[in-house]
């Protein structure tokens, strides 16, 4: 049983790759003093372990690494690579692995460290699978060319040789995998508010979501 803190603010965000959800979720978390977790980074971390330790890689090894997972482990630049991203997309379809990761996500969602007033999680299945009773649910998206440009800019800082065409192809592949997987696919729930960031900068997007949250918590 997951321990649950009472009277906390819970925000769930789902989005396709490179829609800007992470940036917005971080800003919202900071403003409302919430614990922030990019759930996709956990799968990227496991994918990174698979690439780095192929011989050791098994469920026992994953559990031992995840047990002592620290937030700084999820901020490594190596997790942003296309290779890690594609591997993460594949392993996230593994039922047994999802169960291991699922427990960690639930714990952070419902029992964030005491210094936080709640939690904000973003991923692909947060609104209906991880925090179905979230106080706020958002589905953040943008058109594919905008998302590819954003990811290209991000990856160019790590890998100078990468091309926009490669990034666009990779995002199309990710979308297909995320939307069509049998276990916990990416989808917009009826009770999720749609936020399209194609023509919105970070500040405008943050203010739009802040207005929605403030209206409810201050009413």
């Amino acid at each position: 049983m997951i321990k649950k803190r009472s009277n906390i603010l819970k925000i769930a965000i789902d989005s396709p790759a490179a829609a800007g959800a992470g940036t917005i979720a971080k800003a919202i978390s900071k403003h409302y003093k919430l614990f922030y977790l990019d759930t996709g980074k956990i799968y990227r971390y496991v994918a990174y372990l698979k690439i780095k330790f192929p011989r050791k890689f098994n469920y026992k090894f994953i559990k031992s690494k995840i047990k002592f997972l620290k937030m700084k482990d999820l901020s490594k630049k190596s997790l942003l690579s296309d290779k890690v991203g594609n591997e993460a997309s594949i392993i996230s379809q593994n039922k047994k692995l999802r169960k291991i990761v699922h427990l960690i996500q639930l714990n952070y969602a419902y029992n964030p460290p005491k210094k936080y007033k709640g939690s904000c999680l973003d991923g692909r299945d947060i609104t209906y699978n991880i925090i179905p009773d979230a106080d706020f649910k958002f589905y953040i998206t943008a058109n594919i060319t905008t998302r590819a440009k954003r990811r290209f800019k991000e990856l160019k800082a790590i890998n100078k040789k990468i091309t926009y065409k490669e990034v666009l192809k990779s995002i199309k592949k990710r979308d297909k995998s995320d939307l069509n997987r049998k276990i916990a696919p990416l989808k917009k729930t009826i009770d999720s508010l749609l936020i399209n960031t194609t023509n919105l900068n970070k500040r405008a997007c943050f203010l739009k979501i802040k207005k929605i949250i403030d209206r409810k918590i201050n009413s």
Side-chain angles (χ1 to χ4, degrees), residues 11 23 62 90-91 103-104 117 123 132 143 149 159 175 216 218:
I11 298 174
T23 305
I62 295 165
I90 295 162
I91 63 167
L103 284 170
I104 293 166
K117 293 181 179 178
N143 67 38
K149 281 173 187 172
N159 177 10
D175 282 356
K216 187 177 174 180
N218 296 326

Side-chain angles (χ1 to χ4, degrees), residues 144-161:
I144 197 154
T145 51
T146 301
R147 291 191 286 126
K149 281 173 187 172
R150 286 174 184 164
R151 182 51 56 86
F152 174 63
K153 194 178 174 184
E154 193 179 50
L155 293 175
K156 194 77 175 168
I158 307 162
N159 177 10
K160 300 280 183 219
K161 291 179 182 177

Side-chain angles (χ1 to χ4, degrees), residues 64-217:
S64 70
K65 288 285 184 183
I66 278 184
K67 193 179 177 181
F68 301 104
L69 185 69
K70 289 180 174 66
M71 288 304 109
K72 65 177 182 183
D73 294 327
L74 302 182
S75 58
K76 289 178 180 175
K77 279 192 174 179
S78 50
L79 300 190
L80 294 172
S81 81
D82 242 12
K83 190 180 178 182
V84 169
N86 288 325
E87 188 60 57
S89 194
I90 295 162
I91 63 167
S92 66
Q93 296 180 54
N94 180 308
K95 226 174 189 176
K96 200 171 175 181
L97 177 62
R98 285 199 81 87
K99 275 187 177 178
I100 298 167
V101 175
H102 190 86
L103 284 170
I104 293 166
Q105 293 173 349
L106 285 177
N107 187 47
Y108 281 127
Y110 291 98
N111 190 30
K114 288 280 191 283
K115 65 176 179 175
Y116 297 102
K117 293 181 179 178
S119 60
C120 176
L121 274 67
D122 82 271
R124 304 287 184 266
D125 62 339
I126 311 303
T127 55
Y128 69 92
N129 195 30
I130 308 297
I131 328 176
D133 63 342
D135 301 288
F136 296 95
K137 295 180 181 184
F138 298 101
Y139 186 89
I140 295 173
T141 192
N143 67 38
I144 197 154
T145 51
T146 301
R147 291 191 286 126
K149 281 173 187 172
R150 286 174 184 164
R151 182 51 56 86
F152 174 63
K153 194 178 174 184
E154 193 179 50
L155 293 175
K156 194 77 175 168
I158 307 162
N159 177 10
K160 300 280 183 219
K161 291 179 182 177
I162 201 156
T163 65
Y164 169 75
K165 199 175 174 180
E166 284 173 323
V167 176
L168 181 64
K169 189 182 174 184
S170 175
I171 284 189
K172 282 180 180 175
K173 192 179 171 184
R174 284 294 305 276
D175 282 356
K176 193 178 177 183
S177 172
D178 290 339
L179 291 161
N180 299 305
R181 68 183 183 215
K182 287 178 183 175
I183 308 164
L186 168 68
K187 62 180 178 183
K188 185 199 169 294
T189 60
I190 296 166
D191 57 351
S192 293
L193 288 165
L194 179 71
I195 307 284
N196 192 314
T197 69
T198 303
N199 300 309
L200 288 178
N201 63 28
K202 292 171 193 175
R203 182 73 183 156
C205 196
F206 166 76
L207 291 173
K208 189 174 185 176
I209 291 176
K210 182 183 175 291
K211 192 178 178 181
I212 294 163
I213 296 170
D214 286 348
R215 196 184 297 144
K216 187 177 174 180
I217 63 175

